[in-house]
Structure formats: structure tokens, C-alpha cells
Amino acid sequence: MPTAADFGLNDDELDLLRAGLREWGGSARLPHTVARAMRFESEADFTVQRRRTERSLSQGEPMSFSDWRRVLLATEVVFASDVVGSGLRAGPTRSQSGEWSSATSGWLVSLLSQSSS
């Protein structure tokens, strides 16, 4: 199971993923059908898994490829969707350096697409 270091994630990229997960605890609300589409058992399962993966990211622990995919998808949806995510309601979210890497999702998607786990 890979860690953030295995993907070569920098602090800003980790901040972005953690911010995306934290945003689900704010103004974003995940309906059951969307949770299922994101490969969670339910909204309650999403909440449990979100907290677990956020903790894993913060502590540099390894996660399954499936967890990495769901973290990326949850982050993309929460910031992009005005319907289920926080979209325009999200306040300005910045990394420690003040901006996010534009390639954050690209490298992770390409790495994850190589795994069948």
C-alpha cells in the first residue's frame, strides 16, 4: 500500500487533499446515492472513511489504491460541485505557500489508473 511519499506528494498537495476531506465536514453534504457512486457503502460509511483517510494522510500512513482514488474523487467533487459539494460556498482555500499545484490530480490519477486494487 502506497504512502503520500511513494507518490512524491509535497506539503501543498497533501494540504489540498486534507482540505478537501475536511470540507465534507463543513457546508458540503453527501447524499446516499452520491456516496454509493463514490464507492462508499453509505453516507455514514463515507464519514467514517473520510476521517480515517484524513488521519492517514496527516500521519503519513499507507493507504490502499482504492482509498487514494476515493480521497481524490472526494476532493474533486467537494470543490467542484455546487450541488453536493461546497463549490462556490467554499471560502478561499490555499496551501501553505498560497496556491495549489495545478498538476495535483493529474499525477495521482495516472498512478492510480495503473493499479487494479
Side-chain angles (χ1 to χ4, degrees), residues 13 22 24 27 35 51 53 72 75 82 85 91 101:
E13 293 162 336
R22 279 191 308 271
W24 285 108
S27 63
R51 289 176 180 152
T53 55
L72 179 60
T75 299
D82 288 329
S101 165

Side-chain angles (χ1 to χ4, degrees), residues 2 7 17 21 37-40 46 53 57 63-77 105 107-117:
F7 289 124
L17 295 173
L21 293 174
M38 291 171 59
R39 300 200 180 228
F40 294 96
F46 171 76
T53 55
L57 285 172
M63 295 190 300
S64 69
F65 281 98
S66 178
D67 282 342
W68 282 106
R69 280 189 199 101
R70 293 188 300 181
V71 165
L72 179 60
L73 180 58
T75 299
E76 290 174 341
V77 169
S105 63
W107 51 256
L108 192 52
V109 169
S110 66
L111 287 171
L112 292 174
S113 67
Q114 298 172 19
S115 168
S116 61
S117 302

Side-chain angles (χ1 to χ4, degrees), residues 1-116:
M1 291 193 309
T3 65
D6 294 329
F7 289 124
L9 295 177
N10 64 39
D11 289 341
D12 288 346
E13 293 162 336
L14 282 170
D15 285 346
L16 174 63
L17 295 173
R18 284 190 297 261
L21 293 174
R22 279 191 308 271
E23 192 67 25
W24 285 108
S27 63
R29 293 293 175 249
L30 188 68
H32 177 77
T33 53
V34 177
R36 296 282 298 155
M38 291 171 59
R39 300 200 180 228
F40 294 96
E41 294 295 319
S42 63
E43 184 179 353
D45 179 52
F46 171 76
T47 299
V48 169
Q49 300 305 324
R50 176 185 62 84
R51 289 176 180 152
R52 181 184 60 79
T53 55
E54 185 180 347
R55 195 171 38 253
S56 293
L57 285 172
S58 294
Q59 296 175 0
E61 296 173 349
M63 295 190 300
S64 69
F65 281 98
S66 178
D67 282 342
W68 282 106
R69 280 189 199 101
R70 293 188 300 181
V71 165
L72 179 60
L73 180 58
T75 299
E76 290 174 341
V77 169
V78 79
F79 289 129
S81 176
D82 288 329
V83 176
V84 297
S86 56
L88 296 174
R89 293 183 309 275
T93 306
R94 296 284 181 256
S95 67
Q96 292 175 2
S97 69
E99 59 184 60
W100 301 115
S101 165
S102 61
T104 298
S105 63
W107 51 256
L108 192 52
V109 169
S110 66
L111 287 171
L112 292 174
S113 67
Q114 298 172 19
S115 168
S116 61

